[in-house]
Amino acid sequence: MTEAQDASRTTSAMLAALTDPQNAAAWELFDERYRPILIGFARNLGFNEDDAAEAAQETVVRFLTEWRAGKYDKTRGRLGAWLVGIMRFRLLDQRRQRATANIGRGESAMVDLDDDASMSVVWERERRESVLRASLEELRRTSRSDPKTVKAFEMLVYHSLAPKVVADELGMSLHDVYLAKSRVAAKLREIVARLELAYNEEPA
Amino acid sequence: MTTPEVTDLGSGNGCVGIERIESIAAGDIASASEAAHFSICLTCTELLHAVKGDNDFLAEVKGAGPIRRSLVPADAMDDGPVPGYKLLGELHRGGQGVVYRAEQLATRRSCAVKQMLGGGLASGRARRRFEREVELVAKMRHPGVVTLYESGVARDGEPFFAMELVAGERFDTYVRMSMLTTRQLIELFRNVVDAVAYAHRRGVIHRDLKPGNVLVDTDGNPRVLDFGLARPMENSVVGLLEGFGGAGGETMAGEFLGTFAYAAPEQLRGDPDLIDSRIDIYALGVMLYESLCGSKPFVSAANVADLLLQRLDTKPKRPSELRAGIDRDLDVITLKLLDPNPDRRYGTADELRDELDRYLEGKPILAREDSVVYVAMKTMRRYRVASSAAGLILAIIVGASIALSVAYARTEEALGKSEKSLSSLKNSMTRVDPELGRGSSQLDVNDFLALVTEQVNEELGDDPELLAGILVTLGLVHLGFDDAAGAKDAIERAHQIRSDGYARGDVTQEQMAEVEFALARLRFNLGDFAASERAYQAALALYEAALGPNALATVETMRQLASAQRAQQKFTEARCSLKEAFDRSASLEASQEAAIAKAAILNGMAALGRAEGDIAATLPLYREALAALGPYVDADDFRIGRTLYSIALMQEVLDDRASAAENAMEAHRILFLRKGPDAKSTKDAAALLERLRPFLLKSE
């Protein structure tokens, strides 16, 4: 596993490592962790995939520049709030440019984004989903020891197959299928809890 | 939160079954008795809450988006010997591994799985390198390279890799069964080289190229297998030696024979520093040799040491010696691939592919590019000049250009000039190439020579010395094609330049002799025999002064002088000249040139006998000429053909028509072969043969 893939690395450790321009792994981890959240965030606000990706790219670059320049202001709150601030500015800027172009076509040049509170809800939802996806990926990587159990879980939860069908397909008892669901859910909770800690956004 | 497991369920009497708990958690209404049980059974109640909690949590997880790939790796569910693949039968078993026909479980596609055998990747470092290389190879996309899907570790701990399944024949089987022409074979081989070149550009060396690792698919396209994956150990040689049963290589295991046959000397020597992409070039050489000749360049040896010695010390036979229809270029390309010194092979597979392309297009190959004569020959072939005529002018160019370069190379500072003159001639030839320059394949040879002459004048106009040298060569080439008009300007200009230089003391006696000789030949061809004789006299005096009375050039000039004298009916002078030439030739060192010169003198004496009407005296002279040439030229050299023609002609006059017919037939065969059907000498021989055919039949 590369350093960048180490999803358990805490935000504080990652941010500390980011100050070293030579530390590509820290940068990769940051990018891996936050770019999808930023894109999801913008998509939730109604931006298309391309615009969302562009704003996310500008945001991570801007963030890194500001962080390395020591411009982080603790009074601005958690890392997520800071990123939202940058992202919001980028998205507004993008909309403004589009709107200016629209004036020529006789359309409104008014731009608007939701208020800070609702933005923060959107951010939190995206962050949580990102944690869940990362947890599933970790489950996938670490579940080799008992593949049948995970397979039963997958068939039951993700393919919505009837427990009886899953039991027949995998040659398990119904009891074992439910046991599998319960065990994998427990394992997943454990991973999610660990990653939630790692994703804790209080900068050092 | 601690979640009770379903194993905790059902232990107590009257507990609700897990299926029902799951249903109730999912929204079913509990029956009255179930509700009563929940009210008294803490276990069932906690479990119901836990299941509900799980369901909510899992709904949230599922809401984060669909999973892009299964949570269970494909190989994890399979318990066959190769994870993720269902093996459907063995395709091939070799020294390094077994190849199976297989199905990739995740995709259901057919593929081939090769499992390495025998602890090949013992160390962690070797394994990591293997894995890195698999990554590189997996990224290769080329029509000539079999695609690698993935690699992994089989249940027995040995590495395996899965690749595209190609329906086809091994390269050698395909070549044998398809009865390919040489050209078709080279076209096929070129595509193998192209695939190897692609891999080399990506830093992947094959290391075990051999016919078994190249499949020709049902469309006739070669596909190379096992790129970069064949190295069984840290260094392939070590692995190979261990395969022999010890580093000493005392015995040879059959499985490794195949690999050894294609291994370069540096691979056998075991020095990893020497191993680079040129080991693939060597292996390609063995494959090409084997395909062309039907046998390997080296016979099997008893052990590695002998094998190595053989590779280093023995030069394989030229392919053309083993199979008809292989030309000199293919000999050169093949033997260059097999050079024991990697520096003298083609450096990359790209270079080799380009060389094969040049060969297939009939262009000069670079392996022979330093020869002016060679470039000229190739260019003329593309002009469709009869090979016989090409042979003639080439003989002249060879002589003239060598003389020229030798003359210039006498002094250190003149060496550059010599090189410049040769390269200028070569450039000129190239520039009139119908594809590259201004020429056209419709030009006849005289137009071609005129173009070359014009180019040379342009290129060397500012360097009269060099210009004169090249013009002499070209003038003689024109004469070789009976184009005295074309030769006239070149030789007269060269003569003028050299005469001026000689007067100033800038031109040597030998250079002056050379241009006088060329002028004499020109005058002879134009029918001005008196002027020719004067020029030969001048050349003779100069050669005698410069090189001595018994030098080859001196003797040759004296023989030619006799021809000019004979043409003027000055038979006595001619006889004296020939006798003098003959006597002096006795002191020439034995060589092909000397033998040819001697035979020419004998021919000259015979021709003189004919001119004087002494036919009977000519036959022994011609026979002596044949005997002089015999050891030094091919049995079907054009000089032999011409002499046989003369003998047949004399025998006809002497009424020995049966012998005449036989000699005429042989003369015609040789001249047809060497000079082509359109040459005057071939036509003369054909006419004679036609006259004598009835006697030929009678003699049969």
Side-chain angles (χ1 to χ4, degrees):
Chain A
M1 196 193 310
T2 68
E3 212 172 351
Q5 286 170 317
D6 181 5
S8 311
R9 201 165 183 204
T10 64
T11 303
S12 309
M14 178 185 72
L15 287 177
L18 267 185
T19 50
D20 174 10
Q22 303 301 316
N23 195 334
W27 163 247
E28 276 173 40
L29 176 59
F30 177 83
D31 192 59
E32 207 169 85
R33 192 177 282 184
Y34 286 102
R35 187 189 292 265
I37 305 178
L38 289 164
I39 292 173
F41 175 80
R43 296 282 286 140
N44 255 295
L45 295 177
F47 287 80
N48 69 34
E49 188 72 41
D50 289 346
D51 290 346
E54 191 185 325
Q57 163 73 11
E58 288 170 356
T59 302
V60 288
V61 171
R62 171 64 64 94
F63 163 79
L64 192 71
T65 314
E66 291 186 5
W67 173 257
R68 285 187 181 152
K71 289 185 182 169
Y72 173 63
D73 176 5
K74 283 199 173 178
T75 60
R76 286 169 73 176
R78 290 149 61 100
L79 173 63
W82 189 13
L83 284 168
V84 166
I86 300 174
M87 185 70 170
R88 193 174 176 209
F89 182 81
R90 308 278 16 127
L91 291 170
L92 275 171
D93 194 41
Q94 213 174 56
R95 266 202 190 159
R96 216 173 279 122
Q97 285 175 21
R98 296 282 148 79
T100 310
N102 287 346
I103 296 172
R105 298 199 293 269
E107 295 169 22
S108 166
M110 290 292 288
V111 290
D112 193 19
L113 279 181
D114 294 340
D115 59 73
D116 284 356
S118 47
M119 295 261 272
S120 148
V121 170
V122 173
W123 173 264
E124 181 49 33
R125 191 168 62 219
E126 283 301 322
R127 193 200 57 78
R128 172 72 178 173
E129 285 183 1
S130 198
V131 169
L132 294 176
R133 282 193 297 268
S135 303
L136 274 171
E137 190 50 40
E138 187 174 325
L139 175 76
R140 184 180 189 279
R141 282 205 312 270
T142 57
S143 65
R144 277 176 183 245
S145 55
D146 189 8
K148 227 179 209 184
T149 302
V150 181
K151 191 71 189 172
F153 168 86
E154 181 182 316
M155 290 168 85
L156 208 58
V157 175
Y158 276 94
H159 304 167
S160 305
L161 292 172
K164 178 79 171 65
V165 174
V166 177
D168 290 349
E169 177 84 8
L170 297 177
M172 299 166 79
S173 68
L174 209 51
H175 182 269
D176 285 345
V177 171
Y178 288 124
L179 182 64
K181 178 188 159 202
S182 166
R183 279 189 173 161
V184 176
K187 172 81 181 159
L188 205 49
R189 275 182 206 279
E190 187 190 309
I191 298 172
V192 169
R194 189 155 34 80
L195 290 193
E196 277 291 356
L197 270 180
Y199 274 61
N200 175 9
E201 292 174 345
E202 289 298 342
Chain B
M1 170 174 134
T2 308
T3 309
E5 280 203 343
V6 287
T7 42
D8 301 333
L9 187 80
S11 50
N13 282 336
C15 279
V16 182
I18 181 65
E19 278 180 79
R20 279 301 295 154
I21 288 188
E22 285 277 352
S23 298
I24 293 164
D28 255 18
I29 309 286
S31 67
S33 59
E34 285 167 343
H37 180 76
F38 281 121
S39 66
I40 55 162
C41 178
L42 190 61
T43 308
C44 285
T45 309
E46 278 187 354
L47 197 66
L48 179 63
H49 282 298
V51 170
K52 277 184 176 168
D54 277 354
N55 287 353
D56 291 345
F57 169 65
L58 294 175
E60 188 199 3
V61 173
K62 206 175 162 185
I67 45 172
R68 281 192 301 259
R69 46 185 181 163
S70 173
L71 295 173
V72 187
D75 58 353
M77 293 299 291
D78 169 59
D79 50 5
V82 179
Y85 292 87
K86 186 172 171 187
L87 304 186
L88 302 170
E90 206 170 294
L91 287 173
H92 172 72
R93 181 172 286 266
Q96 296 176 350
V98 193
V99 183
Y100 301 95
R101 177 191 298 279
E103 182 185 283
Q104 192 177 31
L105 294 172
T107 59
R108 294 284 155 121
R109 65 182 162 186
S110 294
C111 60
V113 164
K114 180 167 184 175
Q115 193 182 353
M116 308 295 267
L117 293 178
L121 291 168
S123 77
R125 197 170 136 230
R127 191 180 292 277
R128 278 194 298 281
R129 186 152 66 188
F130 176 84
E131 283 165 0
R132 257 204 320 277
E133 213 151 70
V134 166
E135 263 175 48
L136 274 180
V137 176
K139 283 181 190 155
M140 296 205 298
R141 292 284 178 274
H142 186 276
V145 176
V146 171
T147 310
L148 187 86
Y149 294 148
E150 67 169 337
S151 73
V153 178
R155 303 243 182 256
D156 62 4
E158 293 302 329
F160 78 88
F161 49 88
M163 58 197 163
E164 188 186 354
L165 183 68
V166 177
E169 296 281 0
R170 279 167 56 107
F171 184 79
D172 48 357
T173 310
Y174 179 86
V175 167
R176 209 169 40 243
M177 307 290 282
S178 309
M179 309 284 285
L180 302 178
T181 61
T182 303
R183 185 178 177 83
Q184 287 169 330
L185 170 65
I186 298 303
E187 283 168 348
L188 179 73
F189 180 73
R190 179 247 176 239
N191 290 336
V192 177
V193 176
D194 190 52
V196 177
Y198 171 85
H200 285 183
R201 284 197 298 274
R202 275 153 189 77
V204 179
I205 307 173
H206 192 290
R207 294 189 185 82
D208 193 22
L209 277 172
K210 55 186 176 183
N213 274 338
V214 179
L215 293 179
V216 183
D217 68 18
T218 44
D219 295 328
N221 301 314
R223 312 286 303 274
V224 185
L225 309 171
D226 287 9
F227 259 107
L229 305 172
R231 173 167 46 195
M233 285 281 183
E234 290 278 312
N235 301 308
S236 53
V237 176
V238 178
L240 290 172
L241 289 178
E242 289 189 0
F244 271 114
E250 292 303 318
T251 57
M252 185 177 270
E255 279 304 337
F256 282 101
L257 270 171
T259 298
F260 268 99
Y262 301 88
E266 65 270 25
Q267 239 175 325
L268 294 175
R269 212 182 275 132
D271 183 350
D273 290 342
L274 293 175
I275 291 175
D276 59 24
S277 61
R278 289 171 298 181
I279 64 169
D280 283 351
I281 302 286
Y282 187 93
L284 285 167
V286 181
M287 280 177 66
L288 177 61
Y289 192 99
E290 195 176 15
S291 314
L292 283 170
C293 310
S295 60
K296 293 193 174 69
F298 302 101
V299 290
S300 185
N303 55 51
V304 185
D306 285 356
L307 208 65
L308 182 56
L309 279 178
Q310 195 186 47
R311 295 274 203 283
L312 295 173
D313 295 345
T314 318
K315 199 172 176 191
K317 279 189 172 177
R318 282 184 285 126
S320 60
E321 291 178 62
L322 299 171
R323 188 174 127 176
I326 295 174
D327 59 26
R328 176 93 182 107
D329 278 1
L330 270 188
D331 277 348
V332 169
I333 292 173
T334 313
L335 296 181
K336 188 175 168 76
L337 294 171
L338 293 173
D339 201 301
N341 179 353
D343 292 339
R344 290 207 297 263
R345 286 175 217 146
Y346 293 96
T348 65
D350 273 316
E351 282 177 26
L352 172 59
R353 194 236 4 256
D354 293 347
E355 187 83 311
L356 291 170
D357 283 342
R358 277 187 289 275
Y359 173 80
L360 288 167
E361 289 164 19
K363 292 177 182 168
I365 60 168
L366 293 186
R368 297 175 67 187
E369 76 168 339
D370 44 356
S371 156
V372 175
V373 177
Y374 170 70
V375 173
M377 184 168 73
K378 274 288 181 185
T379 310
M380 279 184 287
R381 282 224 179 113
R382 296 172 71 192
Y383 273 90
R384 304 192 186 117
V385 174
S387 58
S388 54
L392 178 68
I393 61 171
L394 289 175
I396 297 164
I397 292 182
V398 176
S401 59
I402 289 174
L404 188 70
S405 60
V406 167
Y408 278 124
R410 289 254 160 82
T411 58
E412 191 68 23
E413 74 272 17
L415 200 60
K417 283 201 168 195
S418 155
E419 282 166 4
K420 188 177 165 195
S421 70
L422 289 173
S423 89
S424 162
L425 184 54
K426 197 174 81 187
N427 286 345
S428 300
M429 294 281 185
T430 309
R431 284 175 63 187
V432 297
D433 185 299
E435 281 187 20
L436 306 174
R438 320 161 33 196
S440 145
S441 56
Q442 300 307 311
L443 286 179
D444 72 11
V445 70
N446 289 336
D447 293 335
F448 162 74
L449 286 169
L451 264 176
V452 174
T453 310
E454 194 188 320
Q455 289 287 346
V456 166
N457 271 306
E458 272 179 31
E459 280 205 20
L460 293 176
D462 58 344
D463 194 338
E465 278 305 303
L466 281 182
L467 179 60
I470 299 280
L471 286 176
V472 170
T473 302
L474 283 170
L476 292 174
V477 173
H478 276 286
L479 287 181
F481 277 93
D482 291 333
D483 178 22
K488 191 168 181 293
D489 284 348
I491 292 177
E492 285 181 347
R493 184 155 181 219
H495 189 267
Q496 186 60 53
I497 293 170
R498 288 240 169 120
S499 299
D500 293 348
Y502 191 64
R504 287 195 309 272
D506 295 340
V507 167
T508 65
Q509 283 181 320
E510 190 180 351
Q511 285 169 332
M512 195 57 216
E514 181 193 47
V515 78
E516 287 291 356
F517 183 91
L519 187 68
R521 280 196 57 192
L522 172 70
R523 297 286 177 245
F524 189 96
N525 279 40
L526 290 170
D528 187 350
F529 303 119
S532 173
E533 187 187 355
R534 282 196 298 280
Y536 276 129
Q537 292 282 14
L540 184 62
L542 286 161
Y543 273 134
E544 279 182 334
L547 308 176
N550 297 328
L552 188 60
T554 313
V555 173
E556 177 64 7
T557 306
M558 194 165 265
R559 177 184 76 80
Q560 295 278 27
L561 170 64
S563 303
Q565 291 165 333
R566 189 190 73 217
Q568 298 172 78
Q569 313 279 316
K570 292 156 84 170
F571 295 136
T572 310
E573 288 92 329
R575 188 168 295 283
C576 285
S577 298
L578 281 172
K579 182 158 188 324
E580 182 68 26
F582 187 77
D583 291 346
R584 292 186 187 188
S585 74
S587 59
L588 290 175
E589 265 185 48
S591 69
Q592 189 185 39
E593 290 76 24
I596 291 169
K598 210 174 278 185
I601 294 168
L602 290 162
N603 273 322
M605 291 167 103
L608 186 60
R610 266 164 69 187
E612 289 179 315
D614 186 2
I615 306 296
T618 62
L619 280 177
L621 290 167
Y622 282 131
R623 294 214 171 91
E624 208 177 323
L626 276 185
L629 284 173
Y632 294 99
V633 299
D634 289 344
D636 50 8
D637 185 273
F638 76 95
R639 297 173 194 86
I640 303 269
R642 277 221 293 245
T643 309
L644 284 172
Y645 168 76
S646 299
I647 289 174
L649 208 58
M650 293 305 102
Q651 286 170 328
E652 187 196 26
V653 175
L654 292 171
D655 236 12
D656 182 4
R657 290 192 167 82
S659 307
E662 272 182 38
N663 284 324
M665 189 167 72
E666 181 63 3
H668 180 258
R669 185 189 70 77
I670 293 172
L671 291 169
F672 189 93
L673 181 74
R674 292 296 176 188
K675 303 188 73 76
D678 299 328
K680 183 176 178 301
S681 53
T682 310
K683 285 179 177 166
D684 287 347
L688 177 62
L689 181 61
E690 207 45 47
R691 287 204 299 275
L692 294 168
R693 196 169 286 284
F695 304 97
L696 186 68
L697 290 173
K698 198 184 284 177
S699 74
E700 278 171 358

